[in-house]
Amino acid sequence: MRKIGLTLLTAIVGGAMALGTYKVFEKDPLEGMTLEERQKVYFASNPSTSNIVSSAGDVDFTQAAAAVTPAVVYIRTTYAASAGRSSGRDPFEEMFGDMFGQRAQPQQRAPQRASGSGVIISTDGYIVTNNHVVANASKVEVTTNDHRTLQAKVIGTDPNTDLALIKVSATNLPIVKLGNSDDVRVGEWVLAVGNPFNLNSTVTAGIVSAKGRNIGILGREEEQSSPFDRSNYQQQQQPRLNKAIESFIQTDAAINPGNSGGALVNTKGELIGINSAIASHTGSYEGYGFAVPVNLAKKVLNDLEKFGSVKRGYIGVSFTELNPDVAQELKISTTNGLYVSELVEGGGAEAAGLQKGDIITKVEGNRVYESSDLQERVGRLQPGDKLHLTVLRNGAEKNFTVTLKGEPAAANRTAAVSKSAEELYNKLGASFQPLTQAQKAKFHLNSGVVVTQVRRGGFFENYEIPEGSIITNINGKPINSTGDIDKAITNLKNGQMTIEGYTSDGMRFRNSFDAQ
């Protein structure tokens, strides 16, 4: 009997030890996954209880609206009175402010405020919105559909696509399922979900009016007027050299001030776009709304989550979109495609053998009619990826494989959020990632973070701490991650912050400033 008892006790102890060992070595199953891969795991474990079907027959949007509304949030932002606005409105405010951001005019240098929408895309608090909703904000506040108010941290922004990724400290949040914008068809029903005119959780319906729209509103910081500021909508015909990527989904679903950053979804309740702009004489809805396609957003958001900035590949050409007038001016007979006007020395196109005067007619076998046909495809790729182009040269088509050039990809960054530090973190106006081994060796450091992005109006811009700088200490505390930054900037003594580090050329710096 004692032998049986001893055997049973041994089995129990052995099982406990095995379970303990398992718990010690157990890893987060979502670690290292992209945002889209995390979604697949979530929806595989939590299949929809309702069978959402296409509404092409009996038009009924109730199921799609019920699936999406809980995951669309209301965003309120606050801007310091001195955040670069004392002499007038900033370019994105000129472009979007009255119309989408609902930004109040400053009175006696009081803090400015704005509002917009966002879409929760991961259960642990990642939210996609527009860059112009949160750009330069010192405080970002998110109100969920169930009326919880949370402070958010800006993980990264991308003005070239007008997208931004923010994060709140929360778990088990409802999310919107990412769809496939390549499958979107002109004429299909869609819903726009957001917070127009501060009316929370508003759903409007319409159809997809067009795809691949390039409306010339991004990358125009140097211009003083907005194409949507009570003016006529006009397609920009002048060729421009900028890094903006525009390939909007156009819809006639009602979109108004406050919808910016909200969801454009199909009748299955899948996210196909992020609402970003309207074309209007008055600044309010007149039937033309534009959304960033979700397939482009996936790449941008994953880069922002991993690196704090977008790692973008470039072909290395400047081009002009052809039409009959441009063709006549260039004295060529072809009226469709992209005319290569310049090649970047050492760029991917030059290395592949493209020449000035070539006409890009196809990308990955698909016919190119507008600049957006090429820009969106390139915008989804990383440096080092290959792109197959067909060009027209001397009356004959030739195929080329271009290897995109750009900065080398860096190690993944783990984003940490501390609820008590969001506002100060946003005031820094920068994004970070841990040092690579090569960077540690170069500066003979054991730790540190590199600045991957500097945003307008923040401390880093004001104190001229550029991208590529390495931050080693904040207030005497060593910095190895964004979590260390959160801890270092919490409970500042007398509101003073001291940042130490190195510039990219090895010069040491030490900056102290009032963080209040």
Side-chain angles (χ1 to χ4, degrees):
M1 188 67 180
R2 292 181 60 190
K3 185 175 182 179
I4 295 174
L6 181 61
T7 301
L8 179 61
L9 178 61
T10 302
I12 293 173
V13 172
M17 290 177 64
L19 180 60
T21 302
Y22 170 77
K23 287 298 181 182
V24 168
F25 291 100
E26 182 182 22
K27 291 185 177 180
D28 182 355
L30 302 182
E31 184 177 347
M33 290 186 177
T34 66
L35 294 168
E36 186 177 17
E37 288 169 343
R38 295 178 206 174
Q39 283 217 338
K40 290 179 180 178
V41 172
Y42 173 81
F43 284 106
S45 303
N46 301 275
S48 175
T49 56
S50 58
N51 184 23
I52 301 177
V53 297
S54 171
S55 58
D58 296 329
V59 180
D60 181 2
F61 304 124
T62 57
Q63 294 181 71
V68 174
T69 301
V72 176
V73 300
Y74 176 59
I75 297 176
R76 286 181 59 86
T77 52
T78 302
Y79 302 81
S82 59
R85 290 180 170 80
S86 58
S87 60
R89 302 167 68 189
D90 83 309
F92 275 100
E93 183 175 347
E94 283 289 341
M95 188 172 297
F96 300 110
D98 290 338
M99 180 182 63
F100 266 45
Q102 300 175 214
R103 188 166 298 162
Q105 290 294 316
Q107 296 181 1
Q108 298 180 352
R109 297 180 64 80
Q112 301 177 51
R113 300 182 186 278
S115 62
S117 303
V119 184
I120 306 174
I121 55 173
S122 75
T123 58
D124 58 345
Y126 283 103
I127 299 171
V128 57
T129 185
N130 284 141
N131 171 65
H132 72 259
V133 171
V134 298
N136 310 325
S138 59
K139 183 178 181 181
V140 180
E141 197 173 72
V142 169
T143 302
T144 61
N145 186 251
D146 59 359
H147 304 294
R148 284 183 291 167
T149 298
L150 305 167
Q151 298 299 314
K153 174 191 293 184
V154 178
I155 298 300
T157 63
D158 182 37
N160 290 327
T161 54
D162 193 29
L163 290 172
L165 184 68
I166 64 177
K167 193 176 190 302
V168 297
S169 295
T171 57
N172 298 320
L173 293 172
I175 64 176
V176 175
K177 185 176 183 179
L178 300 179
N180 184 350
S181 52
D182 288 346
D183 292 341
V184 172
R185 294 177 296 173
V186 173
E188 75 169 279
W189 283 104
V190 289
L191 301 180
V193 186
N195 305 282
F197 303 118
N198 296 329
L199 299 172
N200 291 359
S201 304
T202 295
V203 179
T204 56
I207 63 168
V208 173
S209 306
K211 295 176 63 178
R213 286 293 198 210
N214 184 334
I215 56 178
I217 62 171
L218 301 180
R220 301 177 58 204
E221 291 87 348
E222 72 283 358
E223 297 186 19
Q224 298 299 314
S225 61
S226 164
F228 296 150
D229 190 10
R230 294 177 173 83
S231 63
N232 292 327
Y233 164 66
Q234 295 179 339
Q235 177 74 27
Q236 300 296 315
Q237 301 294 346
Q238 301 277 335
R240 296 177 289 116
L241 179 60
N242 66 53
K243 298 178 181 179
I245 301 174
E246 294 188 23
S247 186
F248 292 116
I249 298 171
Q250 181 180 324
T251 177
D252 64 354
I255 297 175
N256 277 295
N259 271 114
S260 189
L264 186 71
V265 299
N266 59 22
T267 54
K268 298 178 182 178
E270 298 170 336
L271 186 71
I272 60 170
I274 303 299
N275 297 321
S276 296
I278 59 176
S280 173
H281 295 267
T282 63
S284 295
Y285 172 71
E286 290 186 13
Y288 300 96
F290 302 92
V292 180
V294 74
N295 284 8
L296 174 60
K298 290 174 185 176
K299 181 265 191 300
V300 171
L301 298 173
N302 279 320
D303 277 6
L304 293 178
E305 193 259 334
K306 292 178 181 179
F307 311 122
S309 61
V310 179
K311 302 300 180 183
R312 188 161 278 131
Y314 296 98
I315 296 177
V317 299
S318 297
F319 57 80
T320 301
E321 185 178 304
L322 290 177
N323 58 39
D325 292 335
V326 173
Q328 184 177 5
E329 181 180 341
L330 294 173
K331 296 181 172 56
I332 58 177
S333 59
T334 304
T335 59
N336 288 318
L338 306 176
Y339 180 86
V340 177
S341 55
E342 296 290 342
L343 290 170
V344 175
E345 185 176 354
E350 183 185 66
L354 269 73
Q355 299 177 3
K356 182 178 179 179
D358 285 344
I359 299 172
I360 301 173
T361 57
K362 294 179 183 178
V363 54
E364 298 294 344
N366 298 311
R367 183 67 62 179
V368 172
Y369 296 101
E370 299 176 347
S371 59
S372 59
D373 295 332
L374 175 65
Q375 288 175 316
E376 185 190 357
R377 180 65 61 175
V378 175
R380 301 182 193 179
L381 302 177
Q382 302 278 5
D385 287 346
K386 297 184 183 299
L387 188 71
H388 302 291
L389 298 178
T390 301
V391 306
L392 184 65
R393 181 187 296 174
N394 299 325
E397 286 192 330
K398 295 179 178 292
N399 296 316
F400 295 89
T401 299
V402 178
T403 301
L404 303 185
K405 297 293 183 71
E407 296 180 356
N412 288 3
R413 178 178 63 85
T414 302
V417 175
S418 171
K419 184 177 180 181
S420 60
E422 282 88 354
E423 185 171 353
L424 270 178
Y425 187 100
N426 293 335
K427 284 183 178 180
L428 293 178
S431 296
F432 312 90
Q433 69 181 69
L435 287 178
T436 64
Q437 290 301 321
Q439 289 166 325
K440 290 179 180 178
K442 178 180 178 181
F443 295 103
H444 306 289
L445 298 172
N446 295 321
S447 62
V449 294
V450 63
V451 179
T452 59
Q453 184 184 63
V454 175
R455 296 185 284 277
R456 295 179 55 200
F459 290 144
F460 274 51
E461 183 193 49
N462 293 340
Y463 285 84
E464 298 182 347
I465 303 176
E467 292 181 10
S469 298
I470 293 172
I471 308 302
T472 57
N473 292 274
I474 296 181
N475 288 350
K477 298 178 180 178
I479 301 300
N480 295 290
S481 65
T482 53
D484 290 338
I485 296 175
D486 286 340
K487 296 174 184 176
I489 63 179
T490 304
N491 300 320
L492 298 177
K493 293 182 179 180
N494 301 319
Q496 293 296 310
M497 185 184 302
T498 300
I499 296 180
E500 300 176 68
Y502 297 86
T503 61
S504 58
D505 56 5
M507 297 295 293
R508 188 176 180 88
F509 66 84
R510 185 176 187 272
N511 289 336
S512 297
F513 49 88
D514 188 351
Q516 291 181 330

